[in-house]
Amino acid sequence: MCRSRRFGHSILAAVVYLPIALAPSRAQSQSVREIYRMAPAHHKAVLSMAISPDGKLLASASADKTIKLWSLGDGSALNTLDGHADTVVSVAISPDGHFLVSGSIDKTVRLWSLPDGRLLKTLTPFSKKVEGVAITADGKFFAAGSDDGMLVLWSLPDCTLIRTYREPGPILAMAFSPQGDIVAVAPGQTQYRGLKSGFPIDLISLSDGSVRTLVRNGSRSVGVHLGNIVSLTFAKNGRLYSADDSGLINVWSPEGQPALGYVPTGTFGPTTEGLWAVTLSPDGEMLASVAAGDLRLQHVNSFPFSQISKAEQYSIGRPSPLSLVFLPDGKELISGGPDGRILRWSLPELQLIGALTDRRN
């Protein structure tokens, strides 16, 4: 099924900036409060974000069933992409910045053109909600994983079906390797709970469909995932970072060997609230995560990870973010929250410097 729709032009949204050179003060706190008085970017939670390779365009996906496109240069809201019938859970932008892929609870995957936001294709291979979408680094393929255990691979941009894979449980996380020859998949299944090896990660070869499974033997103290793996991220050097819903982050070598497990709270036990969001900087040297209500930034080039900065309880007691994304230059982090807010943080100090709000209406 192919549907096409062109969206109209928009008026400007606004970004409010704080002077990042200032130390915390009463005046600065008032400015932060002013940011939170602004209307949120979305009416409901922001669950996923993606940034174009040039760092100029941000796409945000929300439980309000929309995707919004933002200019990060002047903070304007460029477009609202309507079409999904339910919560949009995942978005990805192609390396050339010309395409956006989205996945939704409505069981569909959609391909959009950028920056005009025109709907190019609607794909409906799944029987249950889509959990995630991803695009290869060379921009030739994209994939989506679903709660029905299916992983589907298409060519980009013609949406030709390349391959279909089946996992024993819902696909909760997925990521392409830097070379684009492997897709890492984390199936969630109750049968894995209590096993000494923990929850597995499947590495699927795109060339022949062969599967290699990563598991760890031992105890929690050496990084066994005893909770559902909710995040998978490859670094440019081939290392794979996996995070589970009880708070453990595990690091795997490019050869698929375990390096070390680490929990953002500083212990090897589970966190009180688990991990809400995890993302790796473009250079692969910093990890941003939300655990136990705190937004943290850490160096990952040594073990255990060394903390760079922390914004406790989201700095001012606000809800913990659900999605995080770095700007390509690594100088800024953007967070999306359950309250629909999109906030901007300067790095490495993790200081709140702005928020996006849509003023078109």
Side-chain angles (χ1 to χ4, degrees):
M1 178 181 178
C2 182
R3 296 171 59 189
S4 178
R5 177 181 176 185
R6 185 171 296 276
F7 297 85
H9 296 288
S10 61
I11 310 173
L12 294 182
V15 156
V16 173
Y17 287 97
L18 300 179
I20 63 175
L22 291 179
S25 65
R26 181 177 178 182
Q28 188 176 353
S29 297
Q30 290 173 344
S31 296
V32 170
R33 286 195 293 269
E34 288 175 4
I35 286 180
Y36 277 100
R37 290 193 191 105
M38 297 167 61
H42 283 271
H43 297 301
K44 294 184 179 180
V46 179
L47 301 178
S48 177
M49 296 182 294
I51 291 182
S52 61
D54 60 9
K56 296 180 179 180
L57 181 75
L58 172 74
S60 57
S62 173
D64 65 11
K65 308 177 187 179
T66 70
I67 302 162
K68 289 190 178 183
L69 304 180
W70 307 83
S71 168
L72 291 177
D74 60 10
S76 61
L78 302 174
N79 216 333
T80 298
L81 280 54
D82 296 302
H84 281 294
D86 210 327
T87 297
V88 188
V89 297
S90 183
V91 287
I93 294 178
S94 62
D96 61 9
H98 294 162
F99 302 99
L100 172 77
V101 177
S102 61
S104 169
I105 288 179
D106 67 8
K107 308 174 190 177
T108 70
V109 174
R110 296 178 184 239
L111 178 67
W112 315 77
S113 65
L114 293 179
D116 62 354
R118 183 166 52 96
L119 180 61
L120 301 175
K121 194 82 170 179
T122 299
L123 302 164
T124 58
F126 303 114
S127 61
K128 294 185 178 180
K129 66 180 180 179
V130 178
E131 289 281 1
V133 297
I135 301 175
T136 56
D138 60 10
K140 293 182 179 180
F141 304 99
F142 69 98
S146 169
D147 247 18
D148 62 12
M150 281 183 59
L151 176 75
V152 182
L153 178 71
W154 296 273
S155 61
L156 186 66
D158 58 7
C159 298
T160 299
L161 178 64
I162 303 298
R163 197 180 293 271
T164 300
Y165 309 90
R166 175 70 70 174
E167 289 286 346
I171 296 175
L172 302 182
M174 56 183 291
F176 282 111
S177 64
Q179 296 76 24
D181 57 340
I182 289 175
V183 59
V185 176
Q189 186 79 343
T190 55
Q191 69 188 47
Y192 298 124
R193 291 196 181 276
L195 296 181
K196 289 185 177 180
S197 58
F199 282 74
I201 300 169
D202 285 340
L203 302 181
I204 304 173
S205 169
L206 299 190
S207 60
D208 59 14
S210 61
V211 179
R212 182 160 58 106
T213 300
L214 304 182
V215 293
R216 299 191 67 157
N217 294 315
S219 65
R220 179 74 178 182
S221 62
V222 292
V224 173
H225 284 299
L226 299 183
N228 281 312
I229 299 171
V230 295
S231 175
L232 292 171
T233 305
F234 276 100
K236 289 184 178 179
N237 61 9
R239 277 186 170 177
L240 175 64
Y241 293 77
S242 56
D244 67 37
D245 58 10
S246 66
L248 182 129
I249 296 176
N250 206 21
V251 186
W252 306 82
S253 72
E255 296 74 33
Q257 299 300 314
L260 190 69
Y262 180 77
V263 172
T265 53
T267 70
F268 282 99
T271 66
T272 51
E273 296 184 12
L275 283 164
W276 288 91
V278 178
T279 190
L280 196 65
S281 64
D283 60 11
E285 295 186 0
M286 294 185 295
L287 183 83
S289 63
V290 180
D294 296 338
L295 176 59
R296 299 165 186 255
L297 187 67
Q298 296 161 302
H299 277 303
V300 295
N301 51 7
S302 63
F303 299 104
F305 301 161
S306 60
Q307 184 165 292
I308 303 171
S309 51
K310 180 174 73 171
E312 294 186 358
Q313 288 299 310
Y314 211 28
S315 284
I316 51 178
R318 297 290 178 171
S320 299
L322 301 175
S323 54
L324 300 169
V325 63
F326 282 93
L327 261 63
D329 61 8
K331 295 180 179 179
E332 193 173 317
L333 180 71
I334 299 180
S335 66
D339 55 1
R341 299 184 189 278
I342 298 176
L343 303 180
R344 305 179 72 159
W345 306 80
S346 64
L347 300 179
E349 62 272 23
L350 266 184
Q351 187 170 10
L352 183 61
I353 58 171
L356 296 176
T357 186
D358 190 343
R359 295 191 181 278
R360 291 175 297 172
N361 297 324

